Amino acid sequence: MYPASFDYSTPTTIDEALRLLAEHGENAKLLAGGHSLLPLMKLRFAQPTHVVDLRRIPSLRGIRRDGDTLVIGAMTTHAELAASADVRDAAPIIADAASQIGDPQVRNRGTIGGSLAHADPSADLPAVILALGATIVAAGPAGRRSIRADEFFRELFTTSLNADELLAEVRIPVSTARSGSAYAKHAQPASRFAYVGVAAALDLERMGEHVQRVRVAVTGFANTPLRAIKVEEALLGRVADADTIAVASMELDGGSELNDDTEAAYKVQLARVCVDIALRRATERAR
Ligand SMILES: Cc1cc2nc3c(=O)[nH]c(=O)nc-3n(C[C@H](O)[C@H](O)[C@H](O)COP(=O)(O)OP(=O)(O)OC[C@H]3O[C@@H](n4cnc5c(N)ncnc54)[C@H](O)[C@@H]3O)c2cc1C
């Protein structure tokens, strides 16, 4: 099916893109890699009359270190994340997840900004960003504002971004402690989206094996990625050995937010296995 007709702009600065958004209001849509937007337009679930392509805005691209923060531009592709030495060094979980997204075409076109803004409940990077305690920077008519990952994903396909804002960059705190992070995914065999995916990030104490900080987030479970708080509580302050991790993994229950489908019990079981794998890998990386 063909999309409905639309006008198309290729701004070269963020300000120009924001002006176009303000001018066309609800009828405008930002285009990044197009791997989620174009299928929606072809099915006519989305019918923007003006498409604002972000690909010619250099300031939205790239990966850099800013002191103890890793800064990733919104238009950075999944393939660039997977291949980046800076990402592998500072937050290997991002490379883990990005390298498992879809297929090579999707990874070479799809972007971190598009993935987070789209907020698909089975996407990989939202859970990763949540586990890392990242901050999302939105650019809008009044300037820039920072949104904590915990507050960014509001509902199914809904984020805290306002209609007149764009996602400019993602800022990830890089721990100086003995830290490790990992992503474990059971992919839906046809789409490669996460049937269940678990992101884990933790710090070990400087001279020992006790867990000083831990965040675990699950995707594929509910309308938004969820923190696995009970798992985190079962691990915090304890020695991260295989037995403790196995016991903590069993604390995952999906809670009241788990989508009540016929596969819920199976999903919980599968997610517990993914929690176990992600936590063990994150611990090994922290040592
Ligand atoms: C076959 C296939 C398999 C896939 N498999 C996976 C998978 O395994 N795991 C996974 O996580 N994802 C998967 N995806 C989705 C893929 O990761 C997409 O790239 C991603 O969801 C959207 O990114 P995009 O850059 O293509 O965004 P687009 O499709 O261009 O945009 C998506 C939405 O985000 C908005 N948007 C884009 N950029 C910005 C911005 N900077 N600021 C504000 N709003 C913005 C757009 O207006 C649009 O509403 C798959 C997609 C396909 C087609």
Side-chain angles (χ1 to χ4, degrees), residues 92-109:
I93 186 175
I94 299 178
D96 285 354
S99 63
Q100 295 179 57
I101 290 177
D103 51 41
Q105 286 97 322
V106 175
R107 292 196 288 276
N108 279 293
R109 299 292 291 204

PDB file of all heavy atoms in Angstrom, residues 92-109:
ATOM      1  N   PRO A  92      28.747  -1.492  27.458  1.00  0.00           N
ATOM      2  CA  PRO A  92      28.675  -2.591  26.473  1.00  0.00           C
ATOM      3  C   PRO A  92      27.267  -3.126  26.259  1.00  0.00           C
ATOM      4  O   PRO A  92      26.964  -3.680  25.205  1.00  0.00           O
ATOM      5  CB  PRO A  92      29.602  -3.668  27.061  1.00  0.00           C
ATOM      6  CG  PRO A  92      29.827  -3.293  28.480  1.00  0.00           C
ATOM      7  CD  PRO A  92      29.658  -1.811  28.564  1.00  0.00           C
ATOM      8  N   ILE A  93      26.403  -2.916  27.216  1.00  0.00           N
ATOM      9  CA  ILE A  93      25.017  -3.374  27.086  1.00  0.00           C
ATOM     10  C   ILE A  93      24.342  -2.738  25.869  1.00  0.00           C
ATOM     11  O   ILE A  93      23.496  -3.354  25.221  1.00  0.00           O
ATOM     12  CB  ILE A  93      24.231  -3.033  28.380  1.00  0.00           C
ATOM     13  CG1 ILE A  93      22.830  -3.626  28.328  1.00  0.00           C
ATOM     14  CG2 ILE A  93      24.170  -1.557  28.624  1.00  0.00           C
ATOM     15  CD1 ILE A  93      22.056  -3.430  29.631  1.00  0.00           C
ATOM     16  N   ILE A  94      24.713  -1.519  25.531  1.00  0.00           N
ATOM     17  CA  ILE A  94      24.096  -0.843  24.382  1.00  0.00           C
ATOM     18  C   ILE A  94      24.510  -1.556  23.095  1.00  0.00           C
ATOM     19  O   ILE A  94      23.686  -1.792  22.201  1.00  0.00           O
ATOM     20  CB  ILE A  94      24.493   0.647  24.327  1.00  0.00           C
ATOM     21  CG1 ILE A  94      24.017   1.363  25.591  1.00  0.00           C
ATOM     22  CG2 ILE A  94      23.913   1.313  23.084  1.00  0.00           C
ATOM     23  CD1 ILE A  94      24.406   2.830  25.645  1.00  0.00           C
ATOM     24  N   ALA A  95      25.791  -1.920  23.025  1.00  0.00           N
ATOM     25  CA  ALA A  95      26.260  -2.653  21.840  1.00  0.00           C
ATOM     26  C   ALA A  95      25.634  -4.041  21.777  1.00  0.00           C
ATOM     27  O   ALA A  95      25.239  -4.515  20.704  1.00  0.00           O
ATOM     28  CB  ALA A  95      27.784  -2.752  21.863  1.00  0.00           C
ATOM     29  N   ASP A  96      25.500  -4.696  22.952  1.00  0.00           N
ATOM     30  CA  ASP A  96      24.824  -6.012  23.018  1.00  0.00           C
ATOM     31  C   ASP A  96      23.452  -5.918  22.357  1.00  0.00           C
ATOM     32  O   ASP A  96      23.098  -6.711  21.492  1.00  0.00           O
ATOM     33  CB  ASP A  96      24.489  -6.420  24.473  1.00  0.00           C
ATOM     34  CG  ASP A  96      25.653  -6.889  25.287  1.00  0.00           C
ATOM     35  OD1 ASP A  96      26.747  -7.031  24.739  1.00  0.00           O
ATOM     36  OD2 ASP A  96      25.444  -7.114  26.499  1.00  0.00           O
ATOM     37  N   ALA A  97      22.681  -4.924  22.819  1.00  0.00           N
ATOM     38  CA  ALA A  97      21.285  -4.820  22.377  1.00  0.00           C
ATOM     39  C   ALA A  97      21.209  -4.370  20.920  1.00  0.00           C
ATOM     40  O   ALA A  97      20.446  -4.940  20.127  1.00  0.00           O
ATOM     41  CB  ALA A  97      20.526  -3.846  23.279  1.00  0.00           C
ATOM     42  N   ALA A  98      22.008  -3.348  20.561  1.00  0.00           N
ATOM     43  CA  ALA A  98      21.934  -2.807  19.196  1.00  0.00           C
ATOM     44  C   ALA A  98      22.298  -3.872  18.165  1.00  0.00           C
ATOM     45  O   ALA A  98      21.704  -3.928  17.084  1.00  0.00           O
ATOM     46  CB  ALA A  98      22.840  -1.592  19.066  1.00  0.00           C
ATOM     47  N   SER A  99      23.256  -4.728  18.513  1.00  0.00           N
ATOM     48  CA  SER A  99      23.693  -5.746  17.542  1.00  0.00           C
ATOM     49  C   SER A  99      22.647  -6.848  17.364  1.00  0.00           C
ATOM     50  O   SER A  99      22.722  -7.621  16.414  1.00  0.00           O
ATOM     51  CB  SER A  99      25.033  -6.359  17.971  1.00  0.00           C
ATOM     52  OG  SER A  99      24.858  -7.032  19.200  1.00  0.00           O
ATOM     53  N   GLN A 100      21.644  -6.887  18.261  1.00  0.00           N
ATOM     54  CA  GLN A 100      20.588  -7.913  18.138  1.00  0.00           C
ATOM     55  C   GLN A 100      19.290  -7.362  17.558  1.00  0.00           C
ATOM     56  O   GLN A 100      18.291  -8.067  17.473  1.00  0.00           O
ATOM     57  CB  GLN A 100      20.279  -8.498  19.516  1.00  0.00           C
ATOM     58  CG  GLN A 100      21.440  -9.267  20.138  1.00  0.00           C
ATOM     59  CD  GLN A 100      21.062  -9.805  21.513  1.00  0.00           C
ATOM     60  OE1 GLN A 100      20.099 -10.536  21.675  1.00  0.00           O
ATOM     61  NE2 GLN A 100      21.815  -9.420  22.518  1.00  0.00           N
ATOM     62  N   ILE A 101      19.282  -6.093  17.180  1.00  0.00           N
ATOM     63  CA  ILE A 101      18.053  -5.498  16.641  1.00  0.00           C
ATOM     64  C   ILE A 101      17.846  -5.943  15.191  1.00  0.00           C
ATOM     65  O   ILE A 101      18.744  -5.799  14.351  1.00  0.00           O
ATOM     66  CB  ILE A 101      18.117  -3.953  16.721  1.00  0.00           C
ATOM     67  CG1 ILE A 101      18.031  -3.501  18.183  1.00  0.00           C
ATOM     68  CG2 ILE A 101      17.002  -3.313  15.894  1.00  0.00           C
ATOM     69  CD1 ILE A 101      18.160  -2.020  18.410  1.00  0.00           C
ATOM     70  N   GLY A 102      16.675  -6.491  14.916  1.00  0.00           N
ATOM     71  CA  GLY A 102      16.247  -6.786  13.549  1.00  0.00           C
ATOM     72  C   GLY A 102      17.305  -7.483  12.708  1.00  0.00           C
ATOM     73  O   GLY A 102      17.903  -8.477  13.112  1.00  0.00           O
ATOM     74  N   ASP A 103      17.559  -6.913  11.529  1.00  0.00           N
ATOM     75  CA  ASP A 103      18.514  -7.463  10.573  1.00  0.00           C
ATOM     76  C   ASP A 103      19.438  -6.333  10.128  1.00  0.00           C
ATOM     77  O   ASP A 103      19.263  -5.189  10.552  1.00  0.00           O
ATOM     78  CB  ASP A 103      17.751  -8.074   9.388  1.00  0.00           C
ATOM     79  CG  ASP A 103      16.741  -7.113   8.807  1.00  0.00           C
ATOM     80  OD1 ASP A 103      17.074  -5.905   8.687  1.00  0.00           O
ATOM     81  OD2 ASP A 103      15.617  -7.520   8.481  1.00  0.00           O
ATOM     82  N   PRO A 104      20.432  -6.619   9.261  1.00  0.00           N
ATOM     83  CA  PRO A 104      21.384  -5.545   8.897  1.00  0.00           C
ATOM     84  C   PRO A 104      20.721  -4.293   8.306  1.00  0.00           C
ATOM     85  O   PRO A 104      21.144  -3.169   8.600  1.00  0.00           O
ATOM     86  CB  PRO A 104      22.296  -6.222   7.864  1.00  0.00           C
ATOM     87  CG  PRO A 104      22.265  -7.663   8.229  1.00  0.00           C
ATOM     88  CD  PRO A 104      20.870  -7.923   8.728  1.00  0.00           C
ATOM     89  N   GLN A 105      19.659  -4.451   7.509  1.00  0.00           N
ATOM     90  CA  GLN A 105      18.991  -3.257   6.946  1.00  0.00           C
ATOM     91  C   GLN A 105      18.425  -2.390   8.065  1.00  0.00           C
ATOM     92  O   GLN A 105      18.581  -1.173   8.056  1.00  0.00           O
ATOM     93  CB  GLN A 105      17.830  -3.644   6.012  1.00  0.00           C
ATOM     94  CG  GLN A 105      18.271  -4.184   4.673  1.00  0.00           C
ATOM     95  CD  GLN A 105      18.263  -5.701   4.680  1.00  0.00           C
ATOM     96  OE1 GLN A 105      18.619  -6.320   5.676  1.00  0.00           O
ATOM     97  NE2 GLN A 105      17.871  -6.301   3.573  1.00  0.00           N
ATOM     98  N   VAL A 106      17.751  -3.041   9.013  1.00  0.00           N
ATOM     99  CA  VAL A 106      17.151  -2.291  10.126  1.00  0.00           C
ATOM    100  C   VAL A 106      18.245  -1.609  10.944  1.00  0.00           C
ATOM    101  O   VAL A 106      18.136  -0.442  11.313  1.00  0.00           O
ATOM    102  CB  VAL A 106      16.309  -3.230  11.021  1.00  0.00           C
ATOM    103  CG1 VAL A 106      15.780  -2.492  12.245  1.00  0.00           C
ATOM    104  CG2 VAL A 106      15.158  -3.831  10.234  1.00  0.00           C
ATOM    105  N   ARG A 107      19.333  -2.335  11.189  1.00  0.00           N
ATOM    106  CA  ARG A 107      20.401  -1.766  12.026  1.00  0.00           C
ATOM    107  C   ARG A 107      21.123  -0.610  11.321  1.00  0.00           C
ATOM    108  O   ARG A 107      21.623   0.297  11.972  1.00  0.00           O
ATOM    109  CB  ARG A 107      21.400  -2.858  12.424  1.00  0.00           C
ATOM    110  CG  ARG A 107      20.807  -3.884  13.366  1.00  0.00           C
ATOM    111  CD  ARG A 107      21.868  -4.716  14.045  1.00  0.00           C
ATOM    112  NE  ARG A 107      22.518  -5.660  13.163  1.00  0.00           N
ATOM    113  CZ  ARG A 107      22.055  -6.860  12.860  1.00  0.00           C
ATOM    114  NH1 ARG A 107      20.911  -7.278  13.385  1.00  0.00           N
ATOM    115  NH2 ARG A 107      22.724  -7.673  12.062  1.00  0.00           N
ATOM    116  N   ASN A 108      21.169  -0.648  10.001  1.00  0.00           N
ATOM    117  CA  ASN A 108      21.855   0.427   9.280  1.00  0.00           C
ATOM    118  C   ASN A 108      20.994   1.656   9.048  1.00  0.00           C
ATOM    119  O   ASN A 108      21.512   2.716   8.713  1.00  0.00           O
ATOM    120  CB  ASN A 108      22.406  -0.094   7.946  1.00  0.00           C
ATOM    121  CG  ASN A 108      23.729  -0.810   8.174  1.00  0.00           C
ATOM    122  OD1 ASN A 108      24.714  -0.192   8.540  1.00  0.00           O
ATOM    123  ND2 ASN A 108      23.738  -2.122   8.007  1.00  0.00           N
ATOM    124  N   ARG A 109      19.694   1.553   9.205  1.00  0.00           N
ATOM    125  CA  ARG A 109      18.805   2.716   9.030  1.00  0.00           C
ATOM    126  C   ARG A 109      18.204   3.171  10.361  1.00  0.00           C
ATOM    127  O   ARG A 109      18.060   4.369  10.594  1.00  0.00           O
ATOM    128  CB  ARG A 109      17.644   2.383   8.077  1.00  0.00           C
ATOM    129  CG  ARG A 109      18.055   1.993   6.696  1.00  0.00           C
ATOM    130  CD  ARG A 109      18.658   3.131   5.926  1.00  0.00           C
ATOM    131  NE  ARG A 109      17.699   4.160   5.590  1.00  0.00           N
ATOM    132  CZ  ARG A 109      17.841   5.007   4.569  1.00  0.00           C
ATOM    133  NH1 ARG A 109      18.905   4.918   3.794  1.00  0.00           N
ATOM    134  NH2 ARG A 109      16.956   5.931   4.332  1.00  0.00           N
TER     135      ARG A 109
END
